[in-house]
Amino acid sequence: MSKSVPVPFSDPPYLMGLPSAYYNESHRKWQKTCRALAEKLIVPYISEWETAGDVPTDLYSKFTEANFLIPNLSAPLPVKWLKKLGIHELPGGLKVEDFDYLHTLIYVDELARSGSLGPSGAVTVGMAFGLPPILKFGSPALQEKFLPELLTGKKRICIAVTEPSAGSDVANIATTATKTKDGKHYIVNGTKKWITNGIWSHYASMAVRTGGEGAAGLSMLVVPLLDTPGVNMRRIKIGGQHTSGTTFIELDDVKVPVENLIGQEGQGMKFIMQNFNHERLTISISVNRISRVALSDAFDYCMKREAFGKTLMDQPVVRHRLAKCGADLEAHWAWIEQYTYCMTKMSEADANRELGGLTALAKAQAGRVLELVASTAVLLHGGNGYTKGGQGEVAERIFREIPGARIPGGSEDVMLDLAVRQLVKNFQKKKKDLEAEMERPGGSSKL
C-alpha cells in the first residue's frame, strides 16, 4: 500500500494522527469500513454523475446490497426490528446494538468526503429523514405495514414537509387531509416542493393539515407516491446537489387509508420538530466535510501554483486567508464532535431538550463556514475556480453548494433565532425550577 503525507485540513484531527477522547476501536474500524465502501460506491464517479445531473438507477440497490443504508437512521438503531428482518450486523461486522451517534457522525462524514452532497443525498435522505417518524411515532400496525420493505430497501420513502409557501415556517403548511364521510380514508390535496428523493419514492412521510390553522392543526401521514392516482411528480433543477432527485409533488384528491396516520391527529408539529434535530446534525456534519474538501483542495493548489515568481503559499495574504478558514472549520468540527458525544450519553428526551437549539445553531454555523471556505477556495484558484472541470473543478462545484447548506433543514436566520429562543426557554424553566426548590420548606430544625 502506498503512503503519502496528508494535506493539512484534509481530514478531521482524529484521522490526522492526533489523539481523541471520543473514538474507541469500534469507531475507528467503522471509519475504515465506511471509507472503503464510499471509495467503491461513490467517490470515483462524482465528476461523471455531476456532469450527467443524475446517479445510476442501481445506486440505491448497491447501497442496499452492501447493507449501507441502515446507518442513516438515528442512533440507537431499531434493533428489534432489524433483527426481526435478519439484519444483525452492519458492514465491517459492527453489531446493530453497538451503533451509536459517533458511528452516525463517521458515516455521514465519510460519504460527504466525495466533495458533493448530491450523489450521497440521492440514496440517503429518504431513509434518514422519511423513515424515523414511522419508527418513533407510528403504531405497531403502521410499522408492520411499512417497515419490512423500507428497512430492507425494497421500497423507498421520503420526507415531505416543505411547500411553495411554507418552508421554515412549518406551521403555515396548506396541504390538507380531509376524512371521507365513512371515516375510512383521508383525501389529500396540495403541493410539496423541494422534496429530496421524492421522484423515486413509493411513499412520503408527509406533513398535512387535518385541523385548523397553525401548528395544532398539523398531522403526519404516510402518503403513497409512485403509481398513485392523483399524484404528479417532476424533478426540479437546482443550483447544487443536482443528482439528489429534488422534486415538486402535486396531490389532487389522493386517497390515503386512515390507518396511514402517524401517531394521532394534531401531533404533526411535534414529530416534525423532533425529526429536524437528526436532520440538522447530519447536515452540519456533511457541510463541514465538504468545507474541509474545499479547503484542503485549495491548500494543495496554493502549494503548487506559482504567481509573481513564487508559489501562492509564499504570499502572506494567501496564508492569512487559509488560516481564517482553517480556524472556523476546525472550531465547528470540534463543536459537532462535542454535541455528538453528548448524544451518546443522553436520553433522547434530554438531548431534544438540551441540544435542540444548539443543533440548530451548529447547522447555521455550518453554512457560514462553507460560505467562507468555498468562497476563499474559488478566489485562490482564480479563473480556474470559476471553471467547471480542470484544476478548479472541486472549488467551483462546492461553491454551488452554499445555498443548499444555508437554506434546507431550516434557513440560517430562522436557525439562529430558534437557537436563542430555545436557550432562553430552557434558562427560564431551570431558573423557575430552582426558585421553587429554594422556596420549598426544608423540614423542621432543632434549636
Side-chain angles (χ1 to χ4, degrees), residues 341-374:
Y341 176 76
C342 287
M343 294 184 74
T344 68
K345 301 298 181 181
M346 300 171 73
S347 69
E348 183 175 7
D350 288 345
N352 284 333
R353 183 184 64 253
E354 298 295 333
L355 300 180
L358 294 174
T359 302
L361 194 59
K363 190 270 177 186
Q365 183 64 6
R368 290 152 63 97
V369 170
L370 180 61
E371 182 181 34
L372 171 66
V373 172

Side-chain angles (χ1 to χ4, degrees), residues 21-41:
Y22 296 127
Y23 306 96
N24 58 33
E25 286 305 311
S26 173
H27 298 130
R28 292 184 180 276
K29 181 181 178 182
W30 177 242
Q31 182 274 325
K32 292 181 175 66
T33 299
C34 289
R35 181 157 298 189
L37 280 169
E39 289 282 358
K40 177 183 177 182
L41 296 171

Side-chain angles (χ1 to χ4, degrees), residues 387-437:
T387 306
K388 293 185 177 182
Q391 297 180 80
E393 177 184 358
V394 172
E396 189 277 333
R397 181 176 69 236
I398 293 178
F399 182 80
R400 286 186 277 108
E401 301 280 7
I402 295 173
R406 300 180 71 184
I407 300 170
S411 62
E412 186 174 297
D413 289 322
V414 174
M415 292 297 92
L416 295 171
D417 178 65
L418 172 64
V420 174
R421 285 192 291 110
Q422 189 66 40
L423 291 171
V424 170
K425 178 182 177 182
N426 287 351
F427 170 78
Q428 291 176 336
K429 184 179 186 307
K430 290 176 182 178
K431 184 179 179 182
K432 183 178 179 180
D433 291 345
L434 179 60
E435 290 172 348
E437 181 181 341

Side-chain angles (χ1 to χ4, degrees), residues 311-367:
T311 66
L312 292 179
M313 192 61 76
D314 287 329
Q315 303 283 357
V317 67
V318 170
R319 298 195 299 272
H320 181 76
R321 283 187 178 275
L322 292 170
K324 289 198 296 183
C325 290
D328 281 7
L329 175 79
E330 296 298 5
H332 183 249
W333 176 256
W335 205 9
I336 293 171
E337 281 185 316
Q338 179 194 1
Y339 288 167
T340 307
Y341 176 76
C342 287
M343 294 184 74
T344 68
K345 301 298 181 181
M346 300 171 73
S347 69
E348 183 175 7
D350 288 345
N352 284 333
R353 183 184 64 253
E354 298 295 333
L355 300 180
L358 294 174
T359 302
L361 194 59
K363 190 270 177 186
Q365 183 64 6

Side-chain angles (χ1 to χ4, degrees), residues 49-264:
W49 295 345
E50 280 286 332
T51 300
D54 209 347
V55 295
T57 55
D58 63 349
L59 184 61
Y60 194 81
S61 63
K62 286 182 177 179
F63 266 69
T64 300
E65 291 166 6
N67 196 21
F68 210 38
L69 288 174
I70 300 299
N72 286 291
L73 300 174
S74 57
L77 296 176
V79 173
K80 184 177 178 180
W81 259 108
L82 293 175
K83 290 190 173 183
K84 181 178 179 179
L85 296 171
I87 303 172
H88 297 270
E89 291 184 348
L90 299 175
L94 175 61
K95 295 184 182 301
V96 292
E97 59 265 31
D98 294 336
F99 186 90
D100 64 23
Y101 248 107
L102 285 166
H103 291 101
T104 299
L105 178 144
I106 292 166
Y107 173 81
V108 174
D109 182 60
E110 288 296 331
L111 287 185
R113 183 173 163 270
S114 65
S116 175
L117 298 181
S120 59
V123 293
T124 62
V125 172
M127 176 74 84
F129 313 134
L131 192 52
I134 301 175
L135 275 168
K136 293 183 178 181
F137 310 114
S139 66
L142 190 73
Q143 293 182 4
E144 287 285 351
K145 183 177 181 180
F146 292 108
L147 291 185
E149 288 187 314
L150 292 173
L151 285 171
T152 56
K154 295 175 182 176
K155 294 286 180 69
R156 298 188 63 169
I157 192 169
C158 63
I159 184 76
V161 175
T162 308
E163 298 180 2
S165 60
S168 297
D169 182 14
V170 175
N172 197 38
I173 280 171
T175 296
T176 59
T178 307
K179 275 187 180 178
T180 55
K181 291 182 179 180
D182 61 10
K184 294 181 177 181
H185 293 87
Y186 288 102
I187 304 300
V188 180
N189 285 281
T191 55
K192 296 291 177 180
K193 193 173 184 180
W194 303 293
I195 305 304
T196 307
N197 295 177
I199 199 74
W200 305 304
S201 294
H202 301 86
Y203 309 106
S205 290
M206 186 176 293
V208 295
R209 185 164 300 284
T210 54
E213 296 181 356
L218 296 182
S219 301
M220 290 198 78
L221 276 178
V222 180
V223 177
L225 295 180
L226 285 177
D227 302 320
T228 299
V231 175
N232 180 50
M233 298 192 288
R234 58 180 173 82
R235 291 185 72 159
I236 304 173
K237 292 183 178 181
I238 53 177
Q241 302 182 39
H242 294 154
T243 60
S244 62
T246 306
T247 308
F248 184 87
I249 304 174
E250 295 175 290
L251 304 139
D252 184 14
D253 289 340
V254 179
K255 200 173 184 180
V256 181
V258 293
E259 293 81 13
N260 285 21
L261 179 68
I262 300 175
Q264 298 177 353

